[in-house]
Amino acid sequence: MSEDSEEEKDLTDLSDEELEDLSQDFMEAMPEALGKAMGVDFFGEMSEEEKEEFEEDFPEQIEEILTRFRDALQKDSEEEQAAAMFEVYEEMTEEFFMSEEDKEEFEGDTGVEWLVEQLRFSIEGSRKSMEELGHAEYFDIIYGFAVDVFESGQAGDVKEFYDGLDDSSQRAALQRVMNPVIMEYYDYIKEYQEITDNEEARQYIEMYYELAELVKQILPRFIAVLQIVSGREEAYDDLKDMRLNNLLQKLESKKYSRFNKLAEGIDRELRNSIAHRDFTVDPVNDEIEFRDRGELVAEMSYPEFQEEFFKILALFNAIWVFRMILNYYRLQALPRAIEELRKQESGG
């Protein structure tokens, strides 16, 4: 693809040579994107032979996938495109994601049905994790909302909003599949199930602040979804520039009463105290003092603060998993919808 082209081409307009170049670019960018998204060195554990094999085979696989999608999107009608895209998803899932054991276990089922099962497993795991933290109610609020969005026929509008956001990078795509923060923090609290000294207390404090910042990043999208579902024009561009306190005020307003409980997941005074480094860890009494502009706002024992951390972790997890739940229901309904399209095309 020429560098001086005025605008990016649509996938359907790309030639075989351009798809080959795009696949090579994807391969070169993928290790760095994976490293940033997942916090791992993709090539770190590979031998030179394995690295060379990956660099040779992976672009060919990507090119094959892109070619199949391009050909499907070049069908004449939207119905034909949808049916062709479904077949591509089926083939790609079975070929690149399902192990031989999976194929035996799901014999007679489609690749999409296997994907649905993987999503269901992940969603159930998320709820179990939040239940272990003592705050499954956050998950239940989000889950119930996602079901209502799907059943009301508004899932397409929400998907269109998400698709329109500037988060189509490989890094963002990887983070939608597996959240590295959740993995990292759950690993830590599994190893340090109780705060026993000042070093662990400080680590929990830092994680609390990081989670508060992450909630600030994803809350604008969720509130924009609430606006869309309630029939108002979404104001994401304004929301993403708001302070965390203003976002939480929206979440705890009367018009979003269903979601007021979620706003309790963050203690704003604790967050501000940590942000301004205005706290003191007392290892003698196993306590932490939090101040705001010099004024004491909270004095907590280690277990009390750990409970606050569990709340914000559960809150972040719940909001983050919303899109996965919505995708689960949309994907679950896909085979039936495609079958209806095929019947219409055949006049059945």
Side-chain angles (χ1 to χ4, degrees):
M1 199 180 304
S2 62
E3 295 182 2
D4 58 351
S5 59
E6 293 184 1
E7 57 183 25
E8 292 186 11
K9 289 185 178 181
D10 188 80
L11 179 61
T12 56
D13 298 325
L14 296 180
S15 66
D16 290 345
E17 291 76 15
E18 288 170 326
L19 285 180
E20 182 179 355
D21 291 341
L22 183 61
S23 302
Q24 185 65 34
D25 292 342
F26 187 94
M27 187 280 295
E28 293 173 357
M30 198 272 282
E32 181 180 354
L34 186 63
K36 290 180 178 179
M38 307 302 295
V40 297
D41 181 0
F42 184 74
F43 283 141
E45 301 298 323
M46 284 189 181
S47 65
E48 284 300 317
E49 183 178 349
E50 289 172 330
K51 182 178 177 181
E52 290 176 5
E53 183 178 349
F54 170 81
E55 291 176 342
E56 180 179 345
D57 295 343
F58 188 70
E60 294 179 1
Q61 295 174 346
I62 295 300
E63 183 181 355
E64 180 182 354
I65 292 172
L66 292 176
T67 300
R68 293 189 195 182
F69 278 124
R70 180 199 62 185
D71 294 346
L73 290 170
Q74 288 177 339
K75 298 293 183 181
D76 293 333
S77 68
E78 290 186 4
E79 291 78 8
E80 288 177 317
Q81 289 177 14
M85 287 288 286
F86 179 76
E87 290 179 3
V88 172
Y89 278 121
E90 292 271 74
E91 294 168 359
M92 294 297 99
T93 300
E94 293 179 14
E95 186 172 345
F96 294 108
F97 296 104
M98 295 179 68
S99 65
E100 291 303 319
E101 291 79 6
D102 289 331
K103 291 175 183 176
E104 289 181 10
E105 181 180 351
F106 287 84
E107 186 177 2
D109 292 332
T110 66
V112 168
E113 287 169 327
W114 176 82
L115 276 177
V116 168
E117 184 64 16
Q118 304 313 301
L119 284 175
R120 184 188 65 79
F121 180 78
S122 296
I123 291 167
E124 289 180 352
S126 292
R127 192 192 188 283
K128 182 179 179 182
S129 296
M130 283 182 261
E131 187 175 10
E132 291 173 350
L133 294 174
H135 296 284
E137 69 272 15
Y138 295 157
F139 176 93
D140 294 338
I141 291 170
I142 295 294
Y143 187 90
F145 175 58
V147 172
D148 289 347
V149 170
F150 175 77
E151 292 182 345
S152 67
Q154 294 174 294
D157 295 333
V158 174
K159 180 181 183 299
E160 184 178 350
F161 163 70
Y162 277 125
D163 289 347
L165 297 178
D166 186 22
D167 66 345
S168 58
S169 66
Q170 293 180 53
R171 178 181 178 183
L174 287 164
Q175 288 179 331
R176 286 198 295 271
V177 175
M178 187 178 295
N179 194 299
V181 172
I182 296 298
M183 296 167 59
E184 178 183 340
Y185 291 170
Y186 274 103
D187 285 346
Y188 187 84
I189 63 178
K190 184 177 180 180
E191 183 175 357
Y192 301 97
Q193 297 182 18
E194 296 180 358
I195 302 176
T196 60
D197 58 35
N198 67 325
E199 183 177 340
E200 293 168 13
R202 292 181 182 279
Q203 180 61 31
Y204 267 92
I205 289 170
E206 292 304 317
M207 292 193 300
Y208 188 98
Y209 178 71
E210 290 171 5
L211 279 168
E213 292 302 292
L214 288 168
V215 170
K216 181 179 181 296
Q217 290 178 24
I218 62 175
L219 255 187
R221 300 181 182 195
F222 183 69
I223 294 175
V225 169
L226 298 184
Q227 293 173 334
I228 293 169
V229 172
S230 62
R232 293 192 296 276
E233 184 177 353
E234 56 87 4
Y236 175 70
D237 287 339
D238 294 329
L239 291 166
K240 68 181 181 181
D241 293 328
M242 286 186 180
R243 295 177 180 273
L244 177 60
N245 186 58
N246 299 119
L247 293 170
L248 292 173
Q249 286 176 348
K250 283 187 172 293
L251 201 60
E252 60 191 3
S253 64
K254 287 185 178 180
K255 63 184 174 184
Y256 298 137
S257 58
R258 179 178 184 177
F259 307 97
N260 289 172
K261 184 73 176 177
L262 299 178
E264 299 175 8
I266 294 184
D267 186 314
R268 278 162 271 194
E269 290 183 329
L270 293 187
R271 182 265 176 195
N272 292 340
S273 175
I274 299 170
H276 296 115
R277 320 308 296 172
D278 198 4
F279 62 86
T280 301
V281 177
D282 178 0
V284 176
N285 297 305
D286 292 342
E287 292 180 342
I288 310 170
E289 294 181 354
F290 296 93
R291 292 175 294 276
D292 188 4
R293 298 176 184 178
E295 181 180 346
L296 184 67
V297 293
E299 188 174 9
M300 296 183 175
S301 65
Y302 287 171
E304 288 172 337
F305 177 69
Q306 189 174 38
E307 170 59 21
E308 291 298 319
F309 174 81
F310 290 160
K311 285 168 63 176
I312 194 172
L313 178 58
L315 172 65
F316 173 74
N317 196 350
I319 297 175
W320 181 83
V321 83
F322 166 74
R323 193 173 180 182
M324 182 190 295
I325 298 170
L326 204 58
N327 285 339
Y328 166 75
Y329 278 97
R330 294 184 72 252
L331 197 60
Q332 189 180 50
L334 188 57
R336 185 169 62 253
I338 294 299
E339 186 60 32
E340 288 298 320
L341 279 176
R342 287 171 175 162
K343 286 182 180 179
Q344 291 175 18
E345 282 193 335
S346 63

